[in-house]
Amino acid sequence: MKSTHDIEAVHLISDEPDRDPLLKTGTGESDADSSVGRKMNRPPEPLSRRYLRVLAVVSLYWFVSISMVFVNKRLLSGKTDFDAPFFVTWFQCVISVIGCYGVYGLTLMFPDYIEFPRPKLNRTTCLKVLPLSVVFCAMIGFNNLCLQSVGVSFYYVGRSLTTVFNVICTFLILGQKTSMNAVISCGVIVFGFWLGVDQEGALGSLSMLGVIYGVMASLCVALFAIYIKKVLPLVDDNIWTLTLYNNVNASLLFIPLILLWGETPSILGSPEVVRFSFWFDMMVGGVLGLAIGSVTGLQVKVTSPLTHNISGTAKAAAQTLLATQINAEIKSLWWWVSNAVVLIGTLMYTRVKQLEMAKK
């Protein structure tokens, strides 16, 4: 089971807009003059239509991302009597693998509208991708354990150190220095995280284990975003091919984790395994986990990486507000201040990186 920050980690390593592989953008012609000629002959798109398209894509991203978090929360620690987070994650990795083949089938049926790389597996490539897949499993494993232990309203703050770890790991692993303004922005995020943990404790709803899981998940997201650069060339720089390899490897790696975590009795003894609603939620979670990669790339394509980051930050605020309303949670003023500080720090970092990119 993947969450938005896991898939979006890919965009932390790139300053260029991503092309959505699910959308056909050409007719197969590779000649530059033909492409230019088509653009010149094409009438200009009305501004209102462009705004509507952007609004539709952003709304779709918000819907998929927020829905996935709530579905995952329900599966992990909601109303279901099923304490097997690694099994849930394994099942949805399998669904993602099947989904890749399903989407490729759609490209054969509708080649003029959908483009998706042909799923193919090579054992040598699987082994080369395996180290990244270990980080991938740790990333989604810690993320789901965090989501199981904390409420959705606190989830964003609990997972807010990804940007900070990205700066630290980039320096330690890649030797890339960060500007003082970026460091200050990270300091604001850390302060907001500390304040959020303090206020959650004051309300009596703090899970220190959940916070630890959140910190570890943030670290793994940062490591995944950095190491993915080294692995992408092995799969022709195709993020969907890498998604396939990652989920195939994860489907195998999670099996011993399920056994070591002692989830077998819960799986066999839970009444949920005979309920249609439970398996429906599992299927929906798997489909959303696969879809988030596409809608994330699509949002970057129709807007920009900066707008995508701002949209993701605003989505997190809306998600927090929605969770407090759905669960009828009463939060203190300083609890809300902690969320605002994290959001401000994230926006500050995004703006700093934008200005640095503009100078380059």
Side-chain angles (χ1 to χ4, degrees), residues 76-309:
L76 291 167
S77 60
K79 297 179 180 179
T80 60
D81 181 23
F82 192 79
D83 185 19
F86 287 132
F87 174 79
V88 172
T89 308
W90 169 82
F91 180 86
Q92 295 190 345
C93 286
V94 173
I95 294 298
S96 293
V97 173
I98 297 173
C100 287
Y101 285 92
V103 174
Y104 177 69
L106 293 177
T107 67
L108 301 179
M109 298 171 60
F110 308 101
D112 294 332
Y113 301 97
I114 301 176
E115 183 180 20
F116 195 84
R118 179 181 180 180
K120 54 182 179 180
L121 293 173
N122 179 281
R123 186 168 63 178
T124 301
T125 305
C126 275
L127 292 175
K128 291 181 179 179
V129 175
L130 186 59
L132 181 70
S133 298
V134 172
V135 177
F136 175 76
C137 288
M139 178 178 70
I140 58 179
F142 281 123
N143 171 74
N144 290 344
L145 289 172
C146 172
L147 188 57
Q148 183 184 42
S149 303
V150 304
V152 175
S153 59
F154 182 70
Y155 177 63
Y156 175 66
V157 172
R159 290 279 292 94
S160 61
L161 296 183
T162 299
T163 300
V164 178
F165 280 120
N166 186 63
V167 171
I168 295 174
C169 292
T170 299
F171 174 74
L172 294 178
I173 297 174
L174 303 179
Q176 297 179 3
K177 296 182 179 180
T178 304
S179 66
M180 182 56 64
N181 288 335
V183 173
I184 293 173
S185 301
C186 291
V188 173
I189 296 174
V190 171
F191 175 71
F193 171 80
W194 171 82
L195 184 60
V197 171
D198 177 74
Q199 290 302 303
E200 192 76 5
L203 293 172
S205 53
L206 177 66
S207 168
M208 282 306 302
L209 193 59
V211 172
I212 294 173
Y213 288 146
V215 172
M216 294 302 299
S218 299
L219 173 61
C220 291
V221 171
L223 289 173
F224 184 77
I226 291 173
Y227 280 108
I228 200 173
K229 267 187 174 181
K230 301 179 179 180
V231 178
L232 271 174
L234 301 176
V235 292
D236 299 324
D237 291 321
N238 191 297
I239 191 62
W240 283 108
T241 302
L242 182 60
T243 297
L244 175 63
Y245 276 105
N246 253 336
N247 281 281
V248 168
N249 285 341
S251 299
L252 299 175
L253 290 172
F254 272 115
I255 293 176
L257 287 175
I258 292 172
L259 299 175
L260 292 174
W261 208 257
E263 294 184 355
T264 304
S266 178
I267 297 171
L268 299 178
S270 174
E272 298 295 333
V273 296
V274 297
R275 294 177 182 172
F276 171 79
S277 59
F278 171 76
W279 292 108
F280 178 78
D281 286 346
M282 293 276 279
M283 292 290 293
V284 169
V287 172
L288 290 174
L290 183 63
I292 189 63
S294 179
V295 297
T296 297
L298 184 59
Q299 180 172 245
V300 173
K301 177 186 174 183
V302 301
T303 59
S304 69
L306 173 64
T307 306
H308 165 69
N309 289 336

Side-chain angles (χ1 to χ4, degrees), residues 317 320-321 324 329-341:
T320 299
L321 181 61
T324 57
E329 299 176 0
I330 305 299
K331 302 296 185 180
S332 66
L333 173 61
W334 284 106
W335 187 92
W336 287 107
V337 169
S338 69
N339 279 263
V341 171

Side-chain angles (χ1 to χ4, degrees), residues 28-50:
E29 297 176 336
S30 57
D31 185 79
D33 294 335
S34 298
S35 177
V36 172
R38 288 195 302 271
K39 291 181 180 179
M40 292 180 63
N41 295 328
R42 186 183 304 163
E45 183 182 20
L47 190 61
S48 59
R49 184 176 177 182
R50 186 185 307 173

